[in-house]
Amino acid sequence: LNYKLTEKVEEQTLTIQSSYDLEMKAHRELKKLTDTKDQFITLAQHNLRVPISNISNNLKDILTGRYGHINSEARNAIEDTIRSSDNLKHIADDFKDITKMKLGSQILNISAVDTHRLINEVINDLKLDIKNMSIALSYPTDKNDWSEIRGDYGKIKDVFIVIIENAIKYNIPNGNINISTNKKPMGLEIEILNTGVGMTNEERENVLSKSFYRSKRVQEINPTGMGIGLYISKSIIESHHGNINITSQGQNKGAKVTVYLPYDFLNNLDI
């Protein structure tokens, strides 16, 4: 009986080991495919973004009159082409964001972040979109209303690009965006209030908790985009031990995004 039991255990051990080896082989193959996919997406994003940016920049140069007088019809056509190329650039950026969804592999490049400088850069990057929608944007221009924090400058800037760009895209023509700051004992709170299309409770809950989520109403307003910007923004802010929240009174009643970032989250870590 002991011999038969031992023999049975050995057989089952060999079966388990064989299954484990097959699973590990499949895991390695899957990781190779995933890495290859990420490399392809990154390469495609770069190869798309560079020529699209060149097209947009050259068209903007033409608009300045650098190469001669532009009549009103040609100006309208060029501005429309710039908007289309900018939409393509946003789609290319969405490809890059897809690779960021492997958040466990993301490493923060921590440095001093001048939030006043950062918000000025964001607004400057989006000035053409603001102009095209005739948005009245206000924000504290006094540097004392802002604070220096420690974090990843590039990733935090990406977050505010997403938030303010959404506040523009889903606003009404001649609408308003009001940015305000509130210095708290342990961190800086930044509010971005817009007069746009607003959100239902369901949309508000889904937009921060689901990747690739876009409501039908949002898709009708702006067909481009993949619905991952705010989802990734939430992950970036939470990786800095901050938080992001969206409130809205409902459809067509605007929305408010509140971002809280600690001054130095590393000091609060138990290491």
Side-chain angles (χ1 to χ4, degrees):
L1 180 62
N2 284 339
Y3 174 78
K4 287 183 178 180
L5 285 172
T6 302
E7 190 178 51
K8 195 68 175 177
V9 168
E10 288 176 352
E11 287 177 3
Q12 290 179 344
T13 301
L14 287 172
T15 301
I16 293 170
Q17 183 64 47
S18 178
S19 299
Y20 175 77
D21 290 341
L22 283 172
E23 184 180 351
M24 290 304 295
K25 182 180 179 181
H27 177 75
R28 287 193 296 269
E29 292 299 321
L30 183 61
K31 187 177 185 304
K32 286 180 184 177
L33 287 172
T34 301
D35 291 343
T36 302
K37 177 208 70 178
D38 290 343
Q39 290 170 11
F40 171 78
I41 291 174
T42 301
L43 184 63
Q45 187 270 342
H46 175 74
N47 288 337
L48 283 170
R49 201 179 196 284
V50 171
I52 291 169
S53 294
N54 287 338
I55 291 169
S56 179
N57 290 334
N58 286 334
L59 288 171
K60 289 172 184 176
D61 276 348
I62 293 171
L63 274 183
T64 64
R66 181 177 178 181
Y67 303 105
H69 174 71
I70 304 294
N71 62 43
S72 60
E73 290 183 358
R75 179 175 293 277
N76 289 337
I78 292 171
E79 288 178 345
D80 186 57
T81 306
I82 289 172
R83 283 192 291 272
S84 296
S85 65
D86 285 344
N87 282 336
L88 284 174
K89 186 170 67 175
H90 297 325
I91 292 172
D93 287 340
D94 282 341
F95 284 135
K96 178 182 68 176
D97 288 341
I98 290 172
T99 62
K100 289 182 180 179
M101 293 184 72
K102 292 170 56 180
L103 294 167
S105 64
Q106 293 297 300
I107 299 174
L108 297 177
N109 183 20
I110 303 299
S111 64
V113 175
D114 182 343
T115 56
H116 180 256
R117 173 192 160 201
L118 184 146
I119 207 71
N120 274 299
E121 286 184 4
V122 169
I123 292 169
N124 186 62
D125 288 347
L126 297 173
K127 63 182 179 183
L128 184 62
D129 296 325
I130 294 168
K131 179 183 176 184
N132 289 335
M133 287 286 289
S134 300
I135 298 294
L137 186 147
S138 64
Y139 70 102
T141 55
D142 189 338
K143 192 169 183 177
N144 292 325
D145 291 322
W146 300 83
S147 301
E148 184 179 276
I149 64 171
R150 289 190 61 76
D152 189 312
Y153 191 97
K155 288 185 173 62
I156 294 173
K157 182 179 176 181
D158 285 345
V159 168
F160 285 99
I161 285 280
V162 167
I163 294 171
I164 297 175
E165 188 176 48
N166 282 345
I168 298 166
K169 284 193 297 189
Y170 303 114
N171 214 317
I172 57 174
N174 302 303
N176 297 306
I177 297 174
N178 181 53
I179 302 172
S180 60
T181 59
N182 181 16
K183 290 184 176 180
K184 296 201 166 184
M186 299 297 291
L188 179 67
E189 186 178 80
I190 303 170
E191 289 185 352
I192 300 96
L193 179 66
N194 70 70
T195 54
V197 298
M199 287 183 174
T200 65
N201 287 334
E202 181 184 4
E203 289 170 342
R204 185 180 61 81
E205 290 174 6
N206 287 334
V207 75
L208 290 175
S209 62
K210 293 183 179 180
S211 56
F212 300 102
Y213 171 79
R214 301 188 82 220
S215 68
K216 290 182 180 179
R217 196 162 57 96
V218 164
Q219 292 179 47
E220 290 171 359
I221 296 168
N222 180 32
T224 62
M226 297 184 182
I228 58 176
L230 283 172
Y231 177 77
I232 291 176
S233 296
K234 178 174 181 283
S235 299
I236 290 172
I237 295 299
E238 288 179 349
S239 71
H240 287 79
H241 290 246
N243 58 69
I244 179 171
N245 187 41
I246 301 176
T247 57
S248 175
Q249 297 300 312
Q251 291 188 25
N252 303 315
K253 293 185 178 179
K256 179 173 71 175
V257 180
T258 305
V259 176
Y260 173 79
L261 285 164
Y263 297 127
D264 189 355
F265 72 93
L266 292 175
N267 279 340
N268 298 324
L269 297 181
D270 295 325
I271 300 177

